[in-house]
Amino acid sequence: MGALLERHEIPVENRWTIREMYPSQEDWERDFEATKGLINALTAFMGKVGASADTLRGAVDAELALSRKLSNLYAFAKMQLDEDTRVGEHQALVSRMESLSVAAQEAGAFLVPEIMAIDTAIMSLYLGAGPLADYKQYLHNILRFKPHTLSEKEEALLAMAGEMASAPSTVFEMLNAADMKFPEVEDSKGNKIQLTHGNFIPTMESQDRGLRQAAFRGYYKSYQDHIYSMASLLQSEVKKNQFFSRARNFKSARAAALFENHVPVKVYDQLIEAIHRNLPKLHKYISVRKRMLGLEEMHMYDLYVPLIPSVTKKIDYETAKAQVLESLEPLGEAYVETVKAAFDQGWIDVYENAGKRSGAYSWGTYDSKPYILLNYQETLDSMFTLTHEMGHSMHSYMTHHVQPYLYGHYSIFLAEVASTTNEALLNDYLLKRVKDKAERLHLLNHYLDQFRTTVFRQAMFAEFEREIHEAVETGGALTADGLKILYRGLNEKYYGPDVVIDDEIAIEWARIPHFYYNFYVFQYATGFSAAIALSKAILGKEPGAAERYLEFLGAGRSAYPIEILKAAGADMASGAPVDEALELFGELVEEFDQLTQA
């Protein structure tokens, strides 16, 4: 494999056009200086926010203008750096923006407390006034935090505790990323491989079972060597969440975490209940995997190996674009035309180059194109990454074109719905057209593993997170042995009787950074489930399904996320979308099983 191309060697048509945001450095510097004036314009409202409806609107508008300018400056600086992370000038711009953002945040810290301090009766009058007619959802979202907001001095104390509160996750990251040492393992040909975080999962996908076993045992041995420190850190994280939730008058840490997006706690519980109802379908898939791998005993280190390794078909970028476009046709001509424009008008930075940031993302601002960074590799995964990120970008595009800046962004609870809907449409498109049996099995295996890792596995993480918080909140303690027993039991429940639950998997919780994200992971499972339910309705040509979905894409923050999804056709408060998504999973498992025996 040759050396990576330098940035200037990548064809212009395969690079994004982010310099439309700031054609010259002088343009960026001009906005940077102007932002300082916007900070002053905002601070001029300090102590006056509640004086009148007009003043309240003026203060909010000043904050929005500042936020909008900061967003443009920072996104451009960071995306420019991501093109080639070696460029010192680009590093400097990002550093300057981080400092300016902190200054702006400190300067505007008065706004929300002053809004909350407005007398309830007066605020009711303000909300009925003309100047605030379009600001009701925005203000209601602030005011609902009022019962959980403390006095100025208490809030200052909590803010001061913020740096200490980040200690568990900071120490975990340092221990996990810097201090953790992994052994060398040997494959069947005698080649030595130094295990790392980056190559652990690829090693688990190897056809060499001896290598998988050695890597699995060696990797988790490193965590076992630090298990008491890891347990202590996780307990500290849980106690931190408990402290802040009690300080803010929430019933539990989970209630506090879900309050941010106005998501009822029952949505979390119903996800786990729906997963439990559908575990037999996962057990059936595991049984099929075991049979196809020809194993007398299936172990945890056998779960990631591809079942159809013979399919290595290359998919060039032009082919991927054409197939993605055709797969999106159920969403209507206008949607497809916009995606065509995205391909033709510089939304996408396609190929890897020396110094370019790894991975993929969709990013931009309310005023820019919703740009996409890729590192396209001509694989099936790369094609799915393309449609996934295009889903994000189309969600942003529609939101920006329908909503004012005030509501022109979407909640994190909704963030993975559009991207996963695109993937579901592509899966359906490919499965309907594939003629080769091995290729069809490869596609089904890919799709089923998406379900396994994004819905079942993330729900298991969510259940573990719920259990450890409830244990601490009812006066219990988290010990290394107790955590291992709990985590092992969950693996036994989720993966079923056809897997040997190796002792090492009981340690897996120690390596999962998401357990320091405060009840975040359940949203992967809810987002995926909602997307499958919505895509099923669209593909089934249910009356109004596509139209409701397009309205969902344009809803932004004009309502709460649960309401937005319900209007689109996915009532997450009922648990039905999870059952519906897993009904599809069950159908795919049955087809996969029959094909493998035909």
Side-chain angles (χ1 to χ4, degrees):
M1 191 173 176
L4 285 174
L5 295 176
E6 291 296 326
R7 180 73 186 172
H8 68 272
E9 296 175 303
I10 301 291
V12 173
E13 62 269 23
N14 295 135
R15 290 186 247 163
W16 56 19
T17 58
I18 60 169
R19 279 156 194 83
E20 290 177 358
M21 296 175 70
Y22 290 103
S24 71
Q25 182 62 31
E26 290 74 23
D27 293 318
W28 189 90
E29 295 290 351
R30 193 177 302 115
D31 261 9
F32 186 87
E33 288 303 314
T35 302
K36 295 174 184 177
L38 293 175
I39 292 174
N40 293 333
L42 175 58
T43 56
F45 286 93
M46 190 181 297
K48 308 170 187 172
V49 172
S52 69
D54 284 318
T55 308
L56 175 53
R57 174 170 173 159
V60 171
D61 286 344
E63 195 278 331
L64 293 173
L66 174 59
S67 165
R68 192 166 178 173
K69 192 71 76 180
L70 286 168
S71 174
N72 287 330
L73 287 163
Y74 182 76
F76 176 79
K78 185 64 171 67
M79 287 192 290
Q80 189 175 233
L81 176 62
D82 289 345
E83 294 176 345
D84 188 343
T85 57
R86 302 168 300 177
V87 179
E89 293 90 338
H90 299 167
Q91 294 169 9
L93 288 190
V94 171
S95 180
R96 288 172 62 196
M97 272 313 302
E98 287 171 347
S99 298
L100 184 63
S101 296
V102 169
Q105 190 174 2
E106 289 175 354
F110 71 91
L111 181 60
V112 168
E114 287 199 30
I115 290 173
M116 287 185 177
I118 298 171
D119 180 80
T120 303
I122 292 173
M123 179 60 87
S124 295
L125 290 172
Y126 286 175
L127 289 174
L132 294 171
D134 297 328
Y135 290 61
K136 290 180 182 177
Q137 174 67 18
Y138 171 86
L139 291 168
H140 277 306
N141 198 38
I142 290 174
L143 294 171
R144 69 187 183 86
F145 284 86
K146 201 168 183 176
H148 306 290
T149 303
L150 311 181
S151 70
E152 190 175 338
K153 285 185 178 180
E154 289 169 328
E155 287 291 340
L157 279 172
L158 289 184
M160 288 167 65
E163 193 169 345
M164 289 187 296
S166 67
S169 61
T170 301
V171 175
F172 168 81
E173 286 169 13
M174 292 303 294
L175 179 57
N176 196 43
D179 293 342
M180 193 70 67
K181 305 299 178 193
F182 300 108
E184 274 190 341
V185 291
E186 199 173 286
D187 67 16
S188 58
K189 296 178 181 176
N191 300 312
K192 291 190 181 298
I193 299 167
Q194 174 62 55
L195 277 181
T196 66
H197 285 304
N199 68 15
F200 176 62
I201 293 299
T203 304
M204 289 294 96
E205 295 171 347
S206 169
Q207 295 296 313
D208 184 339
R209 195 176 190 221
L211 173 63
R212 296 201 305 270
Q213 183 188 70
F216 182 81
R217 290 178 175 171
Y219 190 75
Y220 285 114
K221 170 69 166 59
S222 298
Y223 283 95
Q224 177 61 40
D225 291 344
H226 296 85
I227 200 69
Y228 297 109
S229 297
M230 288 297 194
S232 179
L233 286 171
L234 189 55
Q235 174 162 262
S236 296
E237 175 70 13
V238 171
K239 286 190 171 183
K240 176 206 78 176
N241 294 338
Q242 180 191 32
F243 166 76
F244 281 102
S245 65
R246 283 183 174 176
R248 294 195 177 282
N249 305 311
F250 285 101
K251 289 182 179 178
S252 68
R254 189 159 57 115
L258 271 60
F259 188 82
E260 181 74 26
N261 285 313
H262 207 254
V263 175
V265 170
K266 71 174 182 177
V267 171
Y268 197 106
D269 291 330
Q270 286 173 346
L271 165 70
I272 293 169
E273 289 163 10
I275 291 293
H276 287 175
R277 286 195 297 274
N278 287 278
L279 282 176
K281 293 169 182 156
L282 177 60
H283 299 166
K284 173 73 179 285
Y285 178 51
I286 297 296
S287 175
V288 175
R289 284 191 68 93
K290 180 181 177 182
R291 189 191 73 238
M292 289 189 68
L293 291 169
L295 299 173
E296 285 188 24
E297 279 192 353
M298 185 169 179
H299 287 257
M300 298 302 295
Y301 48 79
D302 298 317
L303 285 175
Y304 287 90
V305 60
L307 298 176
I308 319 293
S310 59
V311 179
T312 55
K313 184 177 174 184
K314 285 195 169 185
I315 304 168
D316 64 60
Y317 183 59
E318 292 303 315
T319 301
K321 287 198 301 184
Q323 295 193 331
V324 165
L325 274 173
E326 287 186 31
S327 73
L328 296 173
E329 286 178 1
L331 297 179
E333 187 178 345
Y335 186 99
V336 172
E337 286 302 315
T338 305
V339 175
K340 278 183 188 172
F343 288 142
D344 296 338
Q345 295 174 12
W347 288 27
I348 308 170
D349 205 76
V350 183
Y351 297 113
E352 190 176 10
N353 59 255
K356 185 176 176 181
R357 176 200 152 132
S358 62
Y361 64 65
S362 165
W363 196 17
T365 72
Y366 187 84
D367 299 306
S368 79
K369 293 171 179 172
Y371 292 105
I372 295 171
L373 180 138
L374 297 177
N375 284 277
Y376 193 81
Q377 297 293 327
E378 299 195 340
T379 63
L380 181 67
D381 277 342
S382 278
M383 180 163 69
F384 272 95
T385 299
L386 170 61
T387 201
H388 179 101
E389 300 304 337
M390 186 58 73
H392 283 308
S393 284
M394 286 299 293
H395 196 176
S396 298
Y397 176 87
M398 297 281 284
T399 298
H400 297 166
H401 280 73
V402 173
Q403 298 296 333
Y405 182 76
L406 183 67
Y407 302 124
H409 309 84
Y410 44 82
S411 158
I412 194 71
F413 186 77
L414 304 178
E416 294 302 326
V417 175
S419 54
T420 309
T421 298
N422 270 22
E423 288 195 60
L425 295 176
L426 180 58
N427 265 311
D428 181 80
Y429 169 86
L430 294 172
L431 286 169
K432 281 177 178 170
R433 285 158 182 79
V434 69
K435 294 188 169 51
D436 179 74
K437 178 181 173 182
E439 211 174 312
R440 183 172 189 82
L441 284 169
H442 180 59
L443 287 168
L444 286 168
N445 183 198
H446 181 271
Y447 203 6
L448 289 167
D449 278 342
Q450 277 186 302
F451 270 96
R452 180 177 64 81
T453 56
T454 310
V455 182
F456 289 104
R457 181 170 163 81
Q458 300 301 328
M460 186 180 78
F461 287 171
E463 187 169 355
F464 177 75
E465 201 170 0
R466 182 182 71 179
E467 294 302 309
I468 60 177
H469 279 80
E470 287 184 357
V472 170
E473 287 169 347
T474 54
L478 303 182
T479 65
D481 288 343
L483 288 165
K484 286 162 72 173
I485 290 167
L486 171 61
Y487 199 81
R488 183 190 182 98
L490 287 172
N491 275 272
E492 288 172 347
K493 180 198 297 183
Y494 275 72
Y495 290 106
D498 282 305
V499 184
V500 174
I501 305 300
D502 303 275
D503 291 341
E504 289 85 358
I505 203 63
I507 304 165
E508 187 184 39
W509 55 266
R511 79 172 182 90
I512 306 297
H514 296 77
F515 294 144
Y516 296 83
Y517 293 3
N518 196 15
F519 295 98
Y520 182 88
V521 292
F522 86 102
Q523 295 169 122
Y524 290 120
T526 54
F528 191 99
S529 300
I532 297 300
L534 294 175
S535 62
K536 271 186 82 175
I538 293 163
L539 290 165
K541 297 184 179 177
E542 184 181 302
E547 291 76 12
R548 288 194 301 273
Y549 178 73
L550 295 177
E551 288 175 8
F552 157 79
L553 293 181
R557 288 184 179 268
S558 60
Y560 293 118
I562 287 290
E563 297 166 7
I564 290 170
L565 269 180
K566 186 175 181 179
D571 183 4
M572 300 310 296
S574 71
V578 183
D579 282 320
E580 195 173 339
L582 295 180
E583 183 182 335
L584 173 62
F585 175 77
E587 292 167 4
L588 294 172
V589 170
E590 291 300 324
E591 181 186 351
F592 191 68
D593 183 27
Q594 289 170 19
L595 268 178
T596 58
Q597 298 186 75

